[in-house]
Amino acid sequence: LGMAAPAALRRSVVSPVGRHTASLIFLHGSGDTGQGARAWIKQILNQDMAFQHIKVIYPTAPARPYTPMKGAFSNVWFDRYKICNDVPEHIESIDSMCRGLTDLINDEVKNGIAKNRILIGGFSMGGGMAMHLAYRFHQDLAGVFALSSFLNKDSAVYQALKRNESALPELFQCHGTADELVLYSWGEETNKMLKSLGVSASLHTFPNLNHELNRTEIEKLKSWIVEKLPVEAPKAN
């Protein structure tokens, strides 16, 4: 039974305006849904985060018992023993979700989108999930973004990168200095560790921003997305 393939993740999709040549997967924070993350960004921008050529996919994490909420069911990508950076990772739940998200990546590949034309990232826990997925299992993706996110001190991501020889996707990280849930120092430490292990990583600091998204941050993210996934010139036949 444990080997059963995970059910396909529910997803909310913003289709590209023009020809679909790239895809972006945005992972919500704990307790949210794909629909919720999309609505939040839409509220901040006064419109969907949409692109000419990029399909934006907001999957929803399945509900599971979540230890920081005393085992109550929540839409989370993985379990945590505690929301802090010096506890072990709940690796079983992380790895099982990596399989479900790999199916989502493979769906895009089946649609004719190359791995180097797919970006993955997210907010808070979603950003942590994206770093595990990309740096441990899909190092050929176009890039990774992590907004208000962190990795635990002894993360499996760091272990994997210590043994790594290949080129790695670039990381775009944003964090508010007033974040009381995921401390800015945890995000900063994650950034430093990944850099020391060969990841080309930027960290954009937002003074007075708590555990939330703001417009400047999303506009910056959008510019980076288009830089990583430029419009492809139509191929001459």
Side-chain angles (χ1 to χ4, degrees), residues 39-52:
W40 189 20
I41 289 175
K42 189 172 183 173
Q43 184 198 338
I44 294 169
L45 295 177
N46 294 318
Q47 57 181 2
D48 264 317
M49 180 166 72
F51 302 90
Q52 186 63 34

Side-chain angles (χ1 to χ4, degrees), residues 9-15 23-29 32-43 45 47-51 54-61 77 101 104 108 121-123 145 147 213 218 221-222 225:
L9 298 166
R10 286 189 301 134
R11 52 197 88 164
S12 178
V13 175
V14 182
S15 296
S23 296
L24 167 71
I25 300 168
F26 189 106
L27 306 179
H28 63 74
D32 202 356
T33 60
Q35 196 61 49
R38 176 182 174 176
W40 189 20
I41 289 175
K42 189 172 183 173
Q43 184 198 338
L45 295 177
Q47 57 181 2
D48 264 317
M49 180 166 72
F51 302 90
I54 306 167
K55 173 181 174 183
V56 185
I57 306 162
Y58 296 94
T60 295
W77 298 110
L101 288 165
L104 186 62
E108 292 310 294
F123 174 72
F145 60 93
L147 316 173
L213 296 171
I218 296 171
L221 173 64
K222 279 184 73 174
I225 289 167

Side-chain angles (χ1 to χ4, degrees), residues 104-115 118:
L104 186 62
I105 291 171
N106 290 341
D107 284 350
E108 292 310 294
V109 173
K110 283 176 202 139
N111 287 334
I113 304 300
K115 290 276 289 287
I118 300 173

Side-chain angles (χ1 to χ4, degrees), residues 75-95:
N75 292 89
V76 289
W77 298 110
F78 50 86
D79 199 7
R80 295 185 187 285
Y81 295 108
K82 211 165 123 193
I83 300 173
C84 96
N85 72 343
D86 56 4
V87 294
E89 287 175 324
H90 196 285
I91 204 72
E92 299 81 1
S93 61
I94 293 174
D95 287 359

